Amino acid sequence: MSEIYYPNKELFKDAAIKSMDEYRALVQKAEEDYEGFWGDFAKEKIDWFKPFTKILNEENAPFYKWFEDGQLNVAYQCVDRHLKTRKNKAAIIFEGDNGDQRVLTYRELFYEVNKTANMFKNKFNIQKGDRVVLYMPMIPEAAISMLACAKIGAIHSVVFGGFSAEALRDRIIDAEAKLVVTADGAYRKGKPYMLKTVVDEALSQGCESVKAVCVVERNGENIHWEAGRDYAFNELIKNESVVCEPEAVEAEHPLFLLYTSGSTGKPKGVQHSSAGYILWAQMTMEWVFDIKENDTYWCTADVGWITGHTYIVYGPLAAGATTVMFEGVPTYPDAGRCWRMVEEYQINQFYTAPTAIRLLHKTGANEPAKYDLSSLRILGTVGEPIDPAAWKWYYEEVGGSRCSIVDTYWQTETGGHVISPLPGATPIKPGCATFPLPGIKAEIIDEDGTPTPVGEKGFACITKPWPSMIRTIWGDPERFVKSYFGDCKKDGKPVYFTGDGAMIDEDGYITITGRTDDVINVSGHRMGTAEVEAAIKKHENVAAVAVVGKPHDIKGEGIFAYVVLKSVPSEERDGTANMLETMKEINMIIKAEIGAIALCDDMAFVPDLPKTRSGKIMRRILRSLVKGEKITQDTSTLEDPSIVGIIEDLLSKK
Ligand code: WTA
């Protein structure tokens, strides 16, 4: 689709960036004086406790430092400072799965954060730099706990509530967390579900660093209680003071760790800074979401992912906005839930993933028409490419052909958006993330830094450091350098490689073509093939396995496993029923090791995998096979070239 959609000028009269000329002027400014560009914004946007004098320190590249001698407090930036001008404004509007509502004004949020911060300090002896793992549902206490950590300089690591006990344990151990904050559980599709039981299981082995578990009451279900370790959040904070002095931290002090999947090995603890991170979170709220004083903004992500960090909690609150937090799912009680909420809260910006858009399109194409969605100005997408059909429905039916769609491209590691349309300026091509944001030097290049010709795939790199970039991988600085600065160079110097391929068209528009590594994007969530394979290998009858992404109508990609069994009893050779049993067993293991998000949609039991003589599995061939594509790769280097035909045959019979 090559149609171009222009911003509705009427809606964006007061946009932060109103035209492509304004956009180009900002880009130009960053080109001419990169440090000045960032230094000026950092001075203007952040309430510094101690001003910085140095902007960028590149001495120890790629361990860049921004504004290093400045001091600030991110919770102060997000909450305290707003009391002067917006104390009675709604900071967080919460809607529960069952429709229960709770509104926290900035003043109330300030009190809650302070009480929680005092509780962390006084009851659990949490000090600056200590790690706190949050295993939380989508309730205000999740945001409050994040901010409470920031207030006292503790480092939080939120673990998505869908991860299993095993996955939670790995993250707790890697972060050496002292405290785990969780809830009894929460509600999903009208029913209670449990979180505390998962924490109990995680802590049953090898989490010596954890001294206490602080449990929020949400669903009131019966839970196991371990005296001396478990404490009731709601009870403890009652006695805490509402006064808590913010800890002044250095600009580079870690604000949080967030574990994400890479192509190899265990998940990596992506470490973010305080000043650089919050600066860009706030600026992108203003630029990409054009947030205005009276706007009500809703991002449907979960706080367990980076989108929830930057665009439910930190960005909106730093910008003084009203942010909606939703506990439920978009299809409960019906596929009109989101649109009913947009109408009720008069949402101005709605931000979600293409998976949700595809699902709502499929299950409730006519639902948007039943609601008054005229408050909407901006519709956002994130996490995966959006296909033209879903884009069109979103644009026409949800946005009434009036709203700007911002297809925001970014990653856990980039902290905030890096390539995205500006709603009041950028003419949009559907499915296209368009242009780098001002200040972000995103380039599509080959390994040596040569720009890729128009229409050809290249590597999406960011060739200059930027304030909100990942600082390191927790506990593994070598892996940080190798993972992100090992593949591409420009002018002989290593540059940040995102892991994504991209293409530029004749008008300079950037389209993201997807991961170039072994990461699968399931419903906009990153899954490392190595992690899933490691889980599958735990099945006693599995000899070898390779997983790949398989295109999926709703999820974008689903997980497909090629499994070689150690022994296939003769009665099972063509007995699909028993194979189904084995499939179920394998999926049970995945659920226990990682969580339901990593379940395989389908599997093929194959006699062998296509391997080179040195034993390397040729995933490209496996990816092509599952898509039913013709094999164009050279198979002569394979140990046994005939395996390709055998697998092809097996798949055609499925
Ligand atoms: C993919 C999510 C196409 C990409 C914020 C990236 C996208 C990974 C887009 C990061 C987009 C994100 N178009 N692909 N607009 N946004 N991606 O760390 O492959 O969970 O590398 O961060 O999602 O996933 P992550």
Side-chain angles (χ1 to χ4, degrees):
M1 211 192 315
S2 60
E3 291 145 275
I4 293 195
Y5 294 76
Y6 291 90
N8 180 329
K9 287 285 165 199
E10 199 45 41
L11 281 185
F12 295 103
K13 281 200 300 267
D14 303 316
I17 300 175
K18 285 186 281 297
S19 65
M20 285 310 274
D21 282 346
E22 282 185 25
Y23 163 74
R24 279 186 283 265
L26 280 165
V27 172
Q28 184 69 20
K29 196 171 163 217
E31 282 287 328
E32 283 163 7
D33 176 14
Y34 193 65
E35 289 198 27
F37 172 91
W38 286 112
D40 288 352
F41 279 117
K43 269 186 211 137
E44 180 195 328
K45 304 286 177 191
I46 293 181
D47 276 24
W48 294 94
F49 288 13
K50 174 174 171 262
F52 60 89
T53 60
K54 253 178 150 168
I55 299 171
L56 170 62
N57 178 346
E58 298 188 84
E59 273 161 32
N60 197 17
F63 298 91
Y64 299 102
K65 290 182 176 159
W66 285 90
F67 322 117
E68 63 182 308
D69 58 345
Q71 289 185 357
L72 76 162
N73 181 282
V74 170
Y76 180 91
Q77 177 78 9
C78 290
V79 186
D80 309 19
R81 71 188 187 113
H82 298 309
L83 297 188
K84 277 184 235 144
T85 49
R86 25 182 100 95
K87 60 179 183 291
N88 291 321
K89 174 175 173 172
I92 297 177
I93 297 179
F94 166 75
E95 180 164 310
D97 180 65
N98 294 327
D100 52 327
Q101 296 172 353
R102 186 174 160 200
V103 179
L104 285 148
T105 63
Y106 273 94
R107 183 178 49 81
E108 289 166 321
L109 180 61
F110 173 70
Y111 292 152
E112 292 304 316
V113 170
N114 288 352
K115 285 193 285 182
T116 308
N118 284 330
M119 169 176 72
F120 288 172
K121 250 192 327 201
N122 302 333
K123 294 285 184 309
F124 303 116
N125 191 27
I126 299 298
Q127 317 268 330
K128 181 182 171 194
D130 284 345
R131 275 81 59 210
V132 177
V133 160
L134 310 180
Y135 188 66
M136 299 286 278
M138 282 291 292
I139 55 174
E141 283 77 5
I144 291 166
S145 300
M146 290 162 81
L147 292 161
C149 286
K151 190 106 193 198
I152 58 177
I155 304 167
H156 62 70
S157 179
V158 185
V159 177
F160 172 58
F163 279 122
S164 68
E166 199 65 43
L168 173 61
R169 177 186 303 143
D170 281 350
R171 287 156 173 80
I172 291 173
I173 292 174
D174 190 76
E176 291 177 279
K178 223 165 135 179
L179 172 69
V180 176
V181 184
T182 188
D184 44 7
Y187 297 97
R188 199 184 140 88
K189 296 190 187 171
K191 294 193 185 75
Y193 71 89
M194 305 304 287
L195 286 169
K196 170 67 164 52
T197 45
V198 184
V199 174
D200 290 335
E201 199 187 326
L203 296 185
S204 65
Q205 260 178 52
C207 291
E208 280 88 25
S209 59
V210 175
K211 301 289 175 259
V213 179
C214 188
V215 188
V216 179
E217 185 179 336
R218 168 65 185 149
N219 64 16
E221 295 288 306
N222 266 337
I223 50 175
H224 164 76
W225 204 258
E226 200 160 313
R229 187 197 71 183
D230 298 348
Y231 296 87
F233 186 110
N234 311 56
E235 288 304 313
L236 286 188
I237 59 163
K238 278 187 194 153
N239 308 319
E240 294 295 343
S241 157
V242 295
V243 182
C244 177
E245 275 307 304
E247 178 88 28
V249 304
E250 311 76 51
E252 283 295 322
H253 181 67
L255 178 63
F256 63 84
L257 312 178
L258 183 58
Y259 285 82
T260 189
S261 295
S263 44
T264 54
K266 290 205 168 212
K268 316 176 264 201
V270 171
Q271 179 181 320
H272 276 289
S273 70
S274 294
Y277 171 80
I278 201 66
L279 173 65
W280 193 231
Q282 185 177 329
M283 285 174 70
T284 47
M285 276 312 292
E286 295 170 1
W287 285 357
V288 177
F289 291 124
D290 190 37
I291 199 84
K292 293 283 184 274
E293 195 58 50
N294 285 321
D295 284 348
T296 305
Y297 160 92
W298 181 18
C299 165
T300 69
D302 188 285
V303 285
W305 308 109
I306 191 67
T307 307
H309 283 61
T310 310
Y311 296 111
I312 294 179
V313 181
Y314 287 115
L317 297 176
T322 299
T323 181
V324 172
M325 252 183 121
F326 175 47
E327 179 189 35
V329 298
T331 47
Y332 177 81
D334 56 55
R337 178 70 181 262
C338 290
W339 320 129
R340 205 246 328 122
M341 283 177 64
V342 168
E343 177 179 290
E344 177 170 347
Y345 297 112
Q346 300 180 33
I347 302 290
N348 305 97
Q349 294 88 353
F350 178 73
Y351 191 29
T352 196
T355 292
I357 299 167
R358 286 191 292 266
L359 181 67
L360 292 173
H361 180 197
K362 200 161 176 173
T363 55
N366 302 319
E367 288 293 325
K370 298 182 189 161
Y371 299 88
D372 176 4
L373 306 181
S374 60
S375 56
L376 287 170
R377 226 167 57 237
I378 296 169
L379 299 172
T381 74
V382 58
E384 42 174 336
I386 178 159
D387 48 289
W391 193 96
K392 216 161 180 272
W393 178 77
Y394 201 32
Y395 182 78
E396 289 172 357
E397 301 304 318
V398 180
S401 302
R402 179 189 76 249
C403 301
S404 286
I405 294 193
V406 288
D407 178 348
T408 61
Y409 168 76
W410 60 297
Q411 313 177 289
T412 304
E413 294 86 345
T414 66
H417 305 147
V418 287
I419 302 175
S420 171
L422 293 161
T426 315
I428 297 167
K429 296 188 186 183
C432 192
T434 73
F435 304 108
L437 291 170
I440 303 291
K441 191 75 184 156
E443 295 186 78
I444 315 306
I445 54 180
D446 66 13
E447 279 115 335
D448 302 317
T450 312
T452 322
V454 166
E456 277 177 35
K457 268 193 204 176
F459 300 118
C461 291
I462 306 179
T463 58
K464 279 186 184 173
W466 68 104
S468 69
M469 71 192 291
I470 172 176
R471 291 305 193 267
T472 188
I473 291 173
W474 181 256
D476 201 347
E478 275 165 37
R479 189 169 176 206
F480 163 70
V481 179
K482 208 166 144 250
S483 306
Y484 304 106
F485 294 89
D487 295 303
C488 298
K489 285 196 169 70
K490 196 183 162 189
D491 304 325
K493 271 191 3 205
V495 293
Y496 177 86
F497 173 42
T498 58
D500 284 302
M503 223 152 56
I504 285 204
D505 74 5
E506 61 286 359
D507 302 319
Y509 280 69
I510 299 173
T511 299
I512 304 296
T513 53
R515 304 289 306 190
T516 62
D517 54 13
D518 293 327
V519 171
I520 307 178
N521 192 329
V522 185
S523 305
H525 299 141
R526 272 159 75 169
M527 287 312 320
T529 46
E531 275 169 81
V532 183
E533 288 166 4
I536 296 177
K537 278 185 198 146
K538 295 207 166 165
H539 188 285
E540 56 185 14
N541 195 20
V542 170
V545 58
V547 307
V548 297
K550 179 182 177 182
H552 185 284
D553 275 359
I554 302 284
K555 298 198 268 190
E557 272 186 309
I559 302 180
F560 186 93
Y562 293 92
V563 181
V564 183
L565 294 178
K566 285 181 188 157
S567 68
V568 185
S570 53
E571 71 275 14
E572 289 193 15
R573 292 238 160 92
D574 50 60
T576 38
N578 288 322
M579 287 306 201
L580 278 177
E581 251 338 282
T582 311
M583 254 171 92
K584 267 194 213 147
E585 285 164 17
I586 289 177
N587 264 336
M588 291 280 285
I589 296 177
I590 295 176
K591 201 167 166 196
E593 292 287 315
I594 307 172
I597 42 168
L599 291 179
C600 291
D601 290 311
D602 201 0
M603 290 175 206
F605 293 95
V606 295
D608 203 354
L609 297 169
K611 278 183 291 209
T612 60
R613 278 180 206 107
S614 58
K616 192 173 172 309
I617 297 170
M618 296 289 283
R619 281 167 203 285
R620 263 184 305 136
I621 293 181
L622 292 172
R623 275 195 289 263
S624 300
L625 282 170
V626 84
K627 287 186 199 156
E629 290 170 359
K630 269 240 112 17
I631 303 300
T632 52
Q633 291 91 351
D634 176 16
T635 55
S636 64
T637 58
L638 292 181
E639 194 183 46
D640 172 14
S642 73
I643 194 68
V644 176
I646 297 173
I647 297 179
E648 209 166 14
D649 235 37
L650 271 168
L651 292 182
S652 69
K653 288 190 197 127
K654 260 185 108 58

